[in-house]
Amino acid sequence: QVHVVESGGGLVQAGGSLRLSCAAVGRTFSSYAMGWFRQAPEKERELVAGISWNGGWTHYEDSVKGRFTISRDNAKNTVYLQMTSLKPEDTAVYYCAARRGGIAVLTTAYDYWGQGTQVTVSS
């Protein structure tokens, strides 16, 4: 079992940067694929970026390619989402999630979720 907690959200101007962190508690963190999702008001939760258990594979949603970078440090049980060139449309609650197996796009494929952290990008 894995318990995850996100941090690092906040208010930033368009064009700015933020780094989100997801700290996980659980002895088997390194065996889980991790995903960063986001949910804007009145929209469905969507996968922003995913990373395999060893960091060898990553996946990005088209609108964030070239701007966001997902990474993980298994020694620290932490996964990161570096966000640059932020846009107002990136405003959402960002969630960290874990699943056994490979990266998956669907929310239903993930077993463990954090409470989320708010990211607000002003124009």
Side-chain angles (χ1 to χ4, degrees), residues 2-10 19-25 34-39 45 77-81 83 92-98 110 112-119:
V2 176
H3 178 65
V4 296
V5 178
E6 306 94 337
S7 62
R19 189 177 79 158
L20 305 183
S21 297
C22 172
V25 177
M34 302 296 294
W36 281 102
F37 289 75
R38 67 185 178 189
Q39 187 166 19
R45 194 172 297 187
N77 278 13
T78 303
V79 62
Y80 306 97
L81 185 67
M83 305 185 295
V93 177
Y94 283 70
Y95 297 89
C96 177
Y110 288 77
Y112 306 104
W113 291 84
Q115 293 300 308
T117 185
Q118 177 71 46
V119 172

Tab-separated table of all heavy atoms in Angstrom, residues 2-10 19-25 34-39 45 77-81 83 92-98 110 112-119:
chain	number	residue	atom	x	y	z
A	2	VAL	N	0.404	2.299	-0.674
A	2	VAL	CA	1.157	3.544	-0.785
A	2	VAL	C	0.250	4.707	-0.408
A	2	VAL	O	-0.879	4.800	-0.874
A	2	VAL	CB	1.693	3.743	-2.217
A	2	VAL	CG1	2.384	5.093	-2.348
A	2	VAL	CG2	2.652	2.624	-2.595
A	3	HIS	N	0.766	5.566	0.427
A	3	HIS	CA	0.055	6.797	0.792
A	3	HIS	C	0.836	7.962	0.202
A	3	HIS	O	2.056	8.048	0.400
A	3	HIS	CB	-0.003	6.923	2.306
A	3	HIS	CG	-0.663	8.179	2.785
A	3	HIS	ND1	-1.987	8.470	2.573
A	3	HIS	CD2	-0.154	9.246	3.448
A	3	HIS	CE1	-2.269	9.644	3.098
A	3	HIS	NE2	-1.181	10.145	3.630
A	4	VAL	N	0.142	8.843	-0.552
A	4	VAL	CA	0.848	9.929	-1.238
A	4	VAL	C	0.303	11.292	-0.817
A	4	VAL	O	-0.899	11.442	-0.583
A	4	VAL	CB	0.745	9.782	-2.776
A	4	VAL	CG1	1.434	8.510	-3.224
A	4	VAL	CG2	-0.694	9.788	-3.248
A	5	VAL	N	1.202	12.255	-0.741
A	5	VAL	CA	0.846	13.618	-0.343
A	5	VAL	C	1.521	14.600	-1.289
A	5	VAL	O	2.750	14.581	-1.430
A	5	VAL	CB	1.286	13.912	1.102
A	5	VAL	CG1	0.933	15.358	1.478
A	5	VAL	CG2	0.631	12.946	2.079
A	6	GLU	N	0.706	15.457	-1.905
A	6	GLU	CA	1.238	16.447	-2.839
A	6	GLU	C	1.575	17.752	-2.107
A	6	GLU	O	0.968	18.085	-1.092
A	6	GLU	CB	0.214	16.779	-3.942
A	6	GLU	CG	-0.317	15.602	-4.710
A	6	GLU	CD	-1.612	15.059	-4.133
A	6	GLU	OE1	-1.875	15.296	-2.939
A	6	GLU	OE2	-2.355	14.398	-4.882
A	7	SER	N	2.509	18.487	-2.691
A	7	SER	CA	2.840	19.818	-2.201
A	7	SER	C	3.426	20.633	-3.348
A	7	SER	O	3.778	20.076	-4.391
A	7	SER	CB	3.846	19.750	-1.039
A	7	SER	OG	5.053	19.168	-1.465
A	8	GLY	N	3.508	21.944	-3.133
A	8	GLY	CA	4.170	22.796	-4.105
A	8	GLY	C	3.260	23.643	-4.962
A	8	GLY	O	3.727	24.440	-5.777
A	9	GLY	N	1.941	23.483	-4.803
A	9	GLY	CA	1.034	24.301	-5.586
A	9	GLY	C	1.039	25.743	-5.118
A	9	GLY	O	1.656	26.100	-4.117
A	10	GLY	N	0.356	26.596	-5.861
A	10	GLY	CA	0.278	27.994	-5.494
A	10	GLY	C	-0.211	28.849	-6.631
A	10	GLY	O	-0.722	28.344	-7.634
A	19	ARG	N	7.185	23.813	-9.142
A	19	ARG	CA	7.541	22.404	-9.041
A	19	ARG	C	6.662	21.753	-7.990
A	19	ARG	O	6.674	22.163	-6.820
A	19	ARG	CB	9.006	22.191	-8.682
A	19	ARG	CG	9.409	20.718	-8.803
A	19	ARG	CD	10.863	20.458	-8.536
A	19	ARG	NE	11.193	20.424	-7.117
A	19	ARG	CZ	12.264	19.814	-6.623
A	19	ARG	NH1	13.109	19.207	-7.424
A	19	ARG	NH2	12.495	19.855	-5.329
A	20	LEU	N	5.923	20.765	-8.426
A	20	LEU	CA	5.102	19.981	-7.518
A	20	LEU	C	5.889	18.768	-7.039
A	20	LEU	O	6.662	18.183	-7.802
A	20	LEU	CB	3.816	19.523	-8.200
A	20	LEU	CG	2.937	20.610	-8.825
A	20	LEU	CD1	1.670	19.979	-9.398
A	20	LEU	CD2	2.613	21.699	-7.838
A	21	SER	N	5.642	18.404	-5.805
A	21	SER	CA	6.254	17.211	-5.237
A	21	SER	C	5.170	16.279	-4.724
A	21	SER	O	4.108	16.723	-4.273
A	21	SER	CB	7.189	17.576	-4.085
A	21	SER	OG	8.255	18.379	-4.521
A	22	CYS	N	5.460	14.998	-4.796
A	22	CYS	CA	4.546	13.989	-4.276
A	22	CYS	C	5.378	13.030	-3.427
A	22	CYS	O	6.181	12.269	-3.973
A	22	CYS	CB	3.863	13.257	-5.413
A	22	CYS	SG	2.887	11.825	-4.903
A	23	ALA	N	5.177	13.116	-2.135
A	23	ALA	CA	5.910	12.256	-1.213
A	23	ALA	C	5.067	11.025	-0.926
A	23	ALA	O	3.875	11.128	-0.621
A	23	ALA	CB	6.207	13.008	0.077
A	24	ALA	N	5.699	9.879	-1.030
A	24	ALA	CA	4.979	8.624	-0.835
A	24	ALA	C	5.505	7.881	0.384
A	24	ALA	O	6.710	7.899	0.667
A	24	ALA	CB	5.129	7.739	-2.066
A	25	VAL	N	4.583	7.261	1.080
A	25	VAL	CA	4.942	6.421	2.217
A	25	VAL	C	4.563	4.993	1.862
A	25	VAL	O	3.417	4.714	1.539
A	25	VAL	CB	4.209	6.859	3.499
A	25	VAL	CG1	4.535	5.917	4.644
A	25	VAL	CG2	4.575	8.283	3.847
A	34	MET	N	3.787	6.094	-11.429
A	34	MET	CA	3.181	7.273	-10.823
A	34	MET	C	2.626	8.193	-11.896
A	34	MET	O	3.173	8.304	-12.996
A	34	MET	CB	4.228	8.040	-10.014
A	34	MET	CG	4.882	7.224	-8.908
A	34	MET	SD	3.736	6.714	-7.624
A	34	MET	CE	3.287	8.301	-6.918
A	35	GLY	N	1.550	8.860	-11.544
A	35	GLY	CA	0.953	9.803	-12.491
A	35	GLY	C	0.584	11.102	-11.812
A	35	GLY	O	0.238	11.125	-10.635
A	36	TRP	N	0.700	12.171	-12.570
A	36	TRP	CA	0.166	13.471	-12.158
A	36	TRP	C	-1.074	13.740	-13.001
A	36	TRP	O	-1.005	13.721	-14.223
A	36	TRP	CB	1.183	14.581	-12.376
A	36	TRP	CG	2.241	14.676	-11.325
A	36	TRP	CD1	3.532	14.242	-11.410
A	36	TRP	CD2	2.109	15.262	-10.027
A	36	TRP	NE1	4.201	14.514	-10.247
A	36	TRP	CE2	3.348	15.148	-9.376
A	36	TRP	CE3	1.066	15.886	-9.346
A	36	TRP	CZ2	3.572	15.621	-8.089
A	36	TRP	CZ3	1.286	16.365	-8.069
A	36	TRP	CH2	2.536	16.227	-7.453
A	37	PHE	N	-2.168	13.964	-12.327
A	37	PHE	CA	-3.431	14.305	-12.963
A	37	PHE	C	-3.807	15.729	-12.577
A	37	PHE	O	-3.307	16.271	-11.605
A	37	PHE	CB	-4.536	13.359	-12.498
A	37	PHE	CG	-4.422	11.960	-13.016
A	37	PHE	CD1	-3.484	11.074	-12.496
A	37	PHE	CD2	-5.254	11.503	-14.033
A	37	PHE	CE1	-3.368	9.788	-12.968
A	37	PHE	CE2	-5.162	10.218	-14.515
A	37	PHE	CZ	-4.224	9.353	-13.981
A	38	ARG	N	-4.742	16.291	-13.333
A	38	ARG	CA	-5.292	17.582	-12.944
A	38	ARG	C	-6.776	17.616	-13.252
A	38	ARG	O	-7.259	16.921	-14.148
A	38	ARG	CB	-4.583	18.732	-13.641
A	38	ARG	CG	-4.788	18.814	-15.145
A	38	ARG	CD	-3.930	19.935	-15.726
A	38	ARG	NE	-4.060	20.013	-17.179
A	38	ARG	CZ	-3.300	20.790	-17.948
A	38	ARG	NH1	-2.348	21.558	-17.391
A	38	ARG	NH2	-3.474	20.812	-19.242
A	39	GLN	N	-7.464	18.437	-12.475
A	39	GLN	CA	-8.899	18.593	-12.688
A	39	GLN	C	-9.259	20.056	-12.515
A	39	GLN	O	-9.101	20.624	-11.421
A	39	GLN	CB	-9.701	17.732	-11.714
A	39	GLN	CG	-11.185	17.719	-11.988
A	39	GLN	CD	-11.917	16.620	-11.244
A	39	GLN	OE1	-11.419	16.066	-10.260
A	39	GLN	NE2	-13.102	16.273	-11.724
A	45	ARG	N	-11.129	14.799	-14.687
A	45	ARG	CA	-9.734	14.637	-14.287
A	45	ARG	C	-8.965	14.001	-15.440
A	45	ARG	O	-9.410	13.017	-16.038
A	45	ARG	CB	-9.649	13.783	-13.030
A	45	ARG	CG	-8.306	13.815	-12.339
A	45	ARG	CD	-8.349	13.104	-11.010
A	45	ARG	NE	-9.269	13.749	-10.066
A	45	ARG	CZ	-9.391	13.411	-8.794
A	45	ARG	NH1	-8.641	12.437	-8.291
A	45	ARG	NH2	-10.252	14.036	-8.009
A	77	ASN	N	11.537	8.400	-2.187
A	77	ASN	CA	10.104	8.099	-2.302
A	77	ASN	C	9.306	9.316	-2.768
A	77	ASN	O	8.243	9.642	-2.230
A	77	ASN	CB	9.537	7.607	-0.968
A	77	ASN	CG	9.800	6.140	-0.724
A	77	ASN	OD1	10.617	5.527	-1.420
A	77	ASN	ND2	9.149	5.562	0.258
A	78	THR	N	9.837	9.993	-3.761
A	78	THR	CA	9.221	11.236	-4.205
A	78	THR	C	9.166	11.294	-5.725
A	78	THR	O	10.111	10.882	-6.406
A	78	THR	CB	9.990	12.450	-3.670
A	78	THR	OG1	10.046	12.390	-2.243
A	78	THR	CG2	9.297	13.757	-4.066
A	79	VAL	N	8.073	11.827	-6.233
A	79	VAL	CA	7.938	12.102	-7.663
A	79	VAL	C	7.676	13.594	-7.815
A	79	VAL	O	7.026	14.211	-6.961
A	79	VAL	CB	6.828	11.249	-8.300
A	79	VAL	CG1	5.473	11.552	-7.694
A	79	VAL	CG2	6.794	11.439	-9.802
A	80	TYR	N	8.209	14.153	-8.871
A	80	TYR	CA	8.133	15.602	-9.095
A	80	TYR	C	7.449	15.915	-10.418
A	80	TYR	O	7.469	15.113	-11.347
A	80	TYR	CB	9.539	16.214	-9.118
A	80	TYR	CG	10.373	15.905	-7.903
A	80	TYR	CD1	11.284	14.857	-7.916
A	80	TYR	CD2	10.260	16.670	-6.751
A	80	TYR	CE1	12.057	14.569	-6.807
A	80	TYR	CE2	11.029	16.391	-5.626
A	80	TYR	CZ	11.917	15.336	-5.669
A	80	TYR	OH	12.685	15.059	-4.556
A	81	LEU	N	6.877	17.102	-10.476
A	81	LEU	CA	6.377	17.634	-11.735
A	81	LEU	C	6.877	19.064	-11.848
A	81	LEU	O	6.403	19.953	-11.142
A	81	LEU	CB	4.849	17.606	-11.805
A	81	LEU	CG	4.266	18.038	-13.148
A	81	LEU	CD1	4.627	17.017	-14.240
A	81	LEU	CD2	2.755	18.216	-13.066
A	83	MET	N	6.951	22.346	-13.772
A	83	MET	CA	6.064	23.009	-14.720
A	83	MET	C	6.654	24.369	-15.088
A	83	MET	O	6.920	25.183	-14.189
A	83	MET	CB	4.677	23.183	-14.107
A	83	MET	CG	4.053	21.884	-13.618
A	83	MET	SD	2.358	22.085	-13.020
A	83	MET	CE	2.631	23.134	-11.602
A	92	ALA	N	-5.737	24.359	-12.168
A	92	ALA	CA	-6.475	23.144	-11.798
A	92	ALA	C	-5.985	22.665	-10.435
A	92	ALA	O	-4.981	23.167	-9.919
A	92	ALA	CB	-6.271	22.046	-12.827
A	93	VAL	N	-6.684	21.683	-9.915
A	93	VAL	CA	-6.155	20.930	-8.774
A	93	VAL	C	-5.337	19.779	-9.354
A	93	VAL	O	-5.820	19.050	-10.226
A	93	VAL	CB	-7.276	20.388	-7.869
A	93	VAL	CG1	-6.677	19.561	-6.734
A	93	VAL	CG2	-8.109	21.538	-7.318
A	94	TYR	N	-4.118	19.654	-8.889
A	94	TYR	CA	-3.214	18.618	-9.386
A	94	TYR	C	-3.124	17.497	-8.364
A	94	TYR	O	-2.907	17.740	-7.165
A	94	TYR	CB	-1.835	19.214	-9.662
A	94	TYR	CG	-1.788	20.004	-10.942
A	94	TYR	CD1	-2.448	21.226	-11.052
A	94	TYR	CD2	-1.119	19.532	-12.056
A	94	TYR	CE1	-2.436	21.943	-12.232
A	94	TYR	CE2	-1.088	20.243	-13.242
A	94	TYR	CZ	-1.753	21.454	-13.326
A	94	TYR	OH	-1.738	22.160	-14.503
A	95	TYR	N	-3.280	16.281	-8.864
A	95	TYR	CA	-3.275	15.100	-8.022
A	95	TYR	C	-2.135	14.163	-8.407
A	95	TYR	O	-1.837	13.991	-9.586
A	95	TYR	CB	-4.588	14.324	-8.173
A	95	TYR	CG	-5.823	15.066	-7.747
A	95	TYR	CD1	-6.524	15.859	-8.647
A	95	TYR	CD2	-6.308	14.966	-6.443
A	95	TYR	CE1	-7.665	16.549	-8.265
A	95	TYR	CE2	-7.454	15.637	-6.050
A	95	TYR	CZ	-8.122	16.422	-6.969
A	95	TYR	OH	-9.257	17.096	-6.586
A	96	CYS	N	-1.593	13.523	-7.412
A	96	CYS	CA	-0.596	12.477	-7.605
A	96	CYS	C	-1.284	11.137	-7.379
A	96	CYS	O	-2.137	11.009	-6.480
A	96	CYS	CB	0.533	12.687	-6.596
A	96	CYS	SG	1.814	11.442	-6.616
A	97	ALA	N	-0.923	10.143	-8.184
A	97	ALA	CA	-1.543	8.834	-8.066
A	97	ALA	C	-0.523	7.741	-8.336
A	97	ALA	O	0.455	7.960	-9.062
A	97	ALA	CB	-2.715	8.718	-9.033
A	98	ALA	N	-0.786	6.569	-7.768
A	98	ALA	CA	0.136	5.436	-7.904
A	98	ALA	C	-0.611	4.198	-8.356
A	98	ALA	O	-1.780	3.989	-7.983
A	98	ALA	CB	0.832	5.166	-6.569
A	110	TYR	N	-5.597	3.685	-11.447
A	110	TYR	CA	-4.728	4.031	-10.330
A	110	TYR	C	-5.380	3.666	-9.002
A	110	TYR	O	-6.577	3.849	-8.813
A	110	TYR	CB	-4.375	5.520	-10.371
A	110	TYR	CG	-3.413	5.819	-11.500
A	110	TYR	CD1	-3.857	5.902	-12.817
A	110	TYR	CD2	-2.051	5.967	-11.257
A	110	TYR	CE1	-2.962	6.124	-13.852
A	110	TYR	CE2	-1.161	6.209	-12.285
A	110	TYR	CZ	-1.623	6.286	-13.585
A	110	TYR	OH	-0.746	6.519	-14.610
A	112	TYR	N	-4.032	4.470	-5.705
A	112	TYR	CA	-3.810	5.362	-4.574
A	112	TYR	C	-3.716	6.798	-5.052
A	112	TYR	O	-3.023	7.089	-6.041
A	112	TYR	CB	-2.531	4.963	-3.824
A	112	TYR	CG	-2.526	3.518	-3.415
A	112	TYR	CD1	-1.763	2.580	-4.108
A	112	TYR	CD2	-3.307	3.090	-2.345
A	112	TYR	CE1	-1.776	1.254	-3.746
A	112	TYR	CE2	-3.320	1.751	-1.977
A	112	TYR	CZ	-2.554	0.843	-2.679
A	112	TYR	OH	-2.580	-0.471	-2.305
A	113	TRP	N	-4.388	7.673	-4.325
A	113	TRP	CA	-4.477	9.085	-4.705
A	113	TRP	C	-4.161	9.991	-3.524
A	113	TRP	O	-4.494	9.673	-2.372
A	113	TRP	CB	-5.894	9.415	-5.181
A	113	TRP	CG	-6.244	8.777	-6.476
A	113	TRP	CD1	-6.715	7.506	-6.674
A	113	TRP	CD2	-6.150	9.368	-7.770
A	113	TRP	NE1	-6.911	7.282	-8.010
A	113	TRP	CE2	-6.577	8.410	-8.714
A	113	TRP	CE3	-5.751	10.616	-8.232
A	113	TRP	CZ2	-6.618	8.657	-10.087
A	113	TRP	CZ3	-5.785	10.872	-9.591
A	113	TRP	CH2	-6.211	9.904	-10.505
A	114	GLY	N	-3.563	11.137	-3.847
A	114	GLY	CA	-3.387	12.171	-2.853
A	114	GLY	C	-4.606	13.079	-2.796
A	114	GLY	O	-5.578	12.883	-3.542
A	115	GLN	N	-4.547	14.082	-1.924
A	115	GLN	CA	-5.665	15.006	-1.729
A	115	GLN	C	-5.654	16.132	-2.750
A	115	GLN	O	-6.662	16.834	-2.890
A	115	GLN	CB	-5.621	15.582	-0.316
A	115	GLN	CG	-5.883	14.549	0.757
A	115	GLN	CD	-7.247	13.910	0.619
A	115	GLN	OE1	-8.257	14.607	0.533
A	115	GLN	NE2	-7.299	12.586	0.575
A	116	GLY	N	-4.551	16.323	-3.428
A	116	GLY	CA	-4.479	17.348	-4.452
A	116	GLY	C	-3.864	18.641	-3.948
A	116	GLY	O	-3.896	18.948	-2.749
A	117	THR	N	-3.307	19.405	-4.875
A	117	THR	CA	-2.752	20.713	-4.573
A	117	THR	C	-3.192	21.686	-5.678
A	117	THR	O	-3.158	21.346	-6.855
A	117	THR	CB	-1.220	20.655	-4.446
A	117	THR	OG1	-0.713	21.923	-4.037
A	117	THR	CG2	-0.541	20.233	-5.738
A	118	GLN	N	-3.622	22.861	-5.267
A	118	GLN	CA	-4.167	23.832	-6.211
A	118	GLN	C	-3.050	24.584	-6.917
A	118	GLN	O	-2.122	25.097	-6.278
A	118	GLN	CB	-5.064	24.837	-5.482
A	118	GLN	CG	-5.622	25.946	-6.360
A	118	GLN	CD	-6.674	25.456	-7.344
A	118	GLN	OE1	-7.578	24.704	-6.965
A	118	GLN	NE2	-6.557	25.875	-8.597
A	119	VAL	N	-3.163	24.658	-8.222
A	119	VAL	CA	-2.277	25.491	-9.044
A	119	VAL	C	-3.145	26.519	-9.756
A	119	VAL	O	-4.092	26.156	-10.457
A	119	VAL	CB	-1.500	24.650	-10.069
A	119	VAL	CG1	-0.737	25.559	-11.034
A	119	VAL	CG2	-0.532	23.705	-9.361
